[in-house]
Amino acid sequence: TLPPGRNSIFKGIKNTTIIDSAYNANLDSMSAVLGMFDKIKAEKKWMILGDMLEQGNSEKQEHERLAEEISKVKYDKIILMGPRVSKYTFPKLITNNALPAGRQESRITNHEKVVKFINPDEVLKYLREHIKGEETILFKGARFLEGVVEHLLADKEDVKKLCRQEKVWRIRRRQWGL
């Protein structure tokens, strides 16, 4: 049994499958989870990726390199959440700048496949409005993504299986509109 927030799988609303890996992130863990997600067979694959915190002076470079890792994965929708992925990752994804040397085409041909938000309540609102059903949705990164996952669970008893369920974290999520 893995600790909460590390590739836990849940049934979500509208018959979605939720892969919860919302417990923190760095480029290595992002790359590993993206590689795993790429191998999953699913009709509709969505990724909700949050900031990588505590990157220090390499924050910009690490978030730009994240765009390179994302460009290797097959997906239907990418939802970025946080000031760092919005500022550094998003611009690389919607241009050919995310391509490894030698590649001329981008996997992102429709910019509507990539959206960005700063706060988790905005992501939750977007998901509630756009999930049609049957999506497989990966959550990876920081900034209270577990609070978004909580509101998308089919079985509310699964909340206790999410990371950061202590009182202090519940209070902080409420401050973010979750």
Side-chain angles (χ1 to χ4, degrees):
T1 302
L2 294 173
R6 294 163 180 95
N7 291 331
S8 302
I9 298 176
F10 299 104
K11 284 205 143 295
I13 61 169
K14 298 184 182 178
N15 205 29
T16 56
T17 300
I18 296 171
I19 303 170
D20 171 31
S21 194
Y23 185 80
N24 296 348
N26 59 40
L27 190 58
D28 288 338
S29 67
M30 284 281 208
S31 297
V33 168
L34 291 173
M36 180 254 340
F37 190 63
D38 195 40
K39 292 177 181 156
I40 292 175
K41 292 182 181 177
E43 288 293 316
K44 297 180 268 184
K45 294 168 72 170
W46 290 22
M47 297 185 286
I48 292 84
L49 304 175
D51 284 347
M52 299 180 291
L53 303 180
E54 302 173 9
Q55 302 302 301
N57 292 335
S58 63
E59 177 178 283
K60 179 180 187 289
Q61 295 83 4
E62 295 294 286
H63 283 86
E64 287 176 345
R65 287 179 52 210
L66 176 59
E68 294 173 19
E69 296 302 315
I70 293 168
S71 73
K72 299 174 186 175
V73 178
K74 295 177 195 88
Y75 58 86
D76 296 290
K77 176 73 78 176
I78 298 173
I79 301 163
L80 300 174
M81 198 247 343
R84 295 160 188 87
V85 290
S86 294
K87 183 176 180 179
Y88 303 124
T89 309
F90 180 78
K92 293 285 188 181
L93 285 173
I94 62 169
T95 67
N96 283 341
N97 293 335
L99 299 174
R103 284 208 27 218
Q104 297 302 312
E105 77 289 346
S106 174
R107 284 194 176 187
I108 300 176
T109 56
N110 178 352
H111 294 188
E112 292 177 9
K113 291 177 97 174
V114 183
V115 293
K116 63 178 175 133
F117 301 97
I118 299 299
N119 296 316
D121 60 330
E122 298 168 306
V123 171
L124 179 59
K125 181 178 185 233
Y126 179 87
L127 290 170
R128 285 180 167 159
E129 292 173 2
H130 290 88
I131 289 175
K132 302 291 186 230
E134 307 292 328
E135 293 88 352
T136 297
I137 308 170
L138 168 69
F139 287 83
K140 179 68 178 160
R143 294 182 54 85
F144 302 112
L145 282 176
E146 72 277 0
V148 177
V149 171
E150 175 179 342
H151 292 281
L152 300 176
L153 293 171
D155 182 353
K156 298 308 176 190
E157 287 295 311
D158 285 338
V159 169
K160 59 187 167 195
K161 299 175 186 173
L162 301 177
C163 64
R164 291 184 277 275
Q165 291 304 302
E166 296 82 10
K167 183 177 179 180
V168 65
W169 294 111
R170 289 193 307 272
I171 291 168
R172 290 189 70 191
R173 282 193 296 275
R174 275 197 300 272
Q175 293 170 344
W176 284 94
L178 299 172

